[in-house]
Amino acid sequence: MSTPRVILLLSGSLRVGSSNETVLRTAQAVAPEGVRTVLYEGLAALPHFNPDDDAEPLPEPVAALRAAIDAADALLVCTPEYAGTLPGAFKNLLDWTVGGTEICDKPVAYVSAAAPGRGQGAEATLRTVLGYTGAVVVEPACVRVAVDRQLVGADGVITEAGARERIAEVLTVLASFER
């Protein structure tokens, strides 16, 4: 039996039960065979980025973030858009990845949970920052899945079959990506 591909799930939202968390919890629920998902939950614990602190020994939350990225085969991001760009807390997470090499050449995709006509600013900023990190954006795995709150179960997972299938397909494409 082959080793499962590990996909680290990164939410750009600090809000419990956000649409972004819902998408990522759904990803955990629909992960295909051969894919193991790990939800990163340390966003709120990250210190403000300071280049002076981007040296050994790293602050513990930063070291844990970089270790989680390093242990993953790929990353799946789901982030909201605030004021036309990435939320500050998530931009801070990304800033901590620029000085390391863990994300370099790693396949990354995103699922936008934004309502139609929204979210383009966050997507553009995310792509820009990922370019600085050396990550490889897997275009066929970057999709939009608007979250209808009426189709989310009590467990915080999307119940609508079409959305679940799209998210499962994202994981399949991301897990099978080869450069």
Side-chain angles (χ1 to χ4, degrees), residues 26 30 145-146 148 150-153 157-167:
T26 302
V30 302
V145 177
D148 180 343
Q150 295 178 340
L151 300 175
V152 176
V157 173
I158 298 169
T159 59
E160 196 267 315
R164 291 171 67 89
E165 289 169 11
R166 287 193 78 197
I167 294 168

Side-chain angles (χ1 to χ4, degrees), residues 50-106:
N50 179 341
D52 292 338
D53 296 333
D54 195 3
E56 294 297 331
L58 289 167
E60 190 282 322
V62 176
L65 167 67
R66 288 188 179 175
I69 292 170
D70 193 45
D73 296 302
L75 309 177
L76 179 61
V77 173
C78 191
T79 184
E81 177 179 274
Y82 291 142
T85 191
L86 294 171
F90 191 65
K91 176 63 168 67
N92 183 58
L93 177 150
L94 293 172
D95 286 345
W96 279 113
T97 69
V98 173
T101 59
E102 299 82 7
I103 200 169
C104 188
D105 294 326
K106 194 153 296 216

Side-chain angles (χ1 to χ4, degrees), residues 117-129:
R118 312 266 332 244
Q120 292 87 350
E123 290 173 24
T125 304
L126 179 61
R127 285 177 177 280
T128 298
V129 176

Side-chain angles (χ1 to χ4, degrees), residues 8-15 21 24-25 38-48 59-66 68-69 88-90 92-94 96:
L8 183 64
L9 308 174
L10 298 172
S11 175
S13 178
L14 289 169
R15 189 169 62 85
E21 181 183 304
L24 296 178
R25 292 209 180 275
V38 176
L39 182 61
Y40 174 75
E41 298 185 272
L43 181 62
L46 290 171
H48 295 290
E60 190 282 322
V62 176
L65 167 67
R66 288 188 179 175
I69 292 170
F90 191 65
N92 183 58
L93 177 150
L94 293 172
W96 279 113

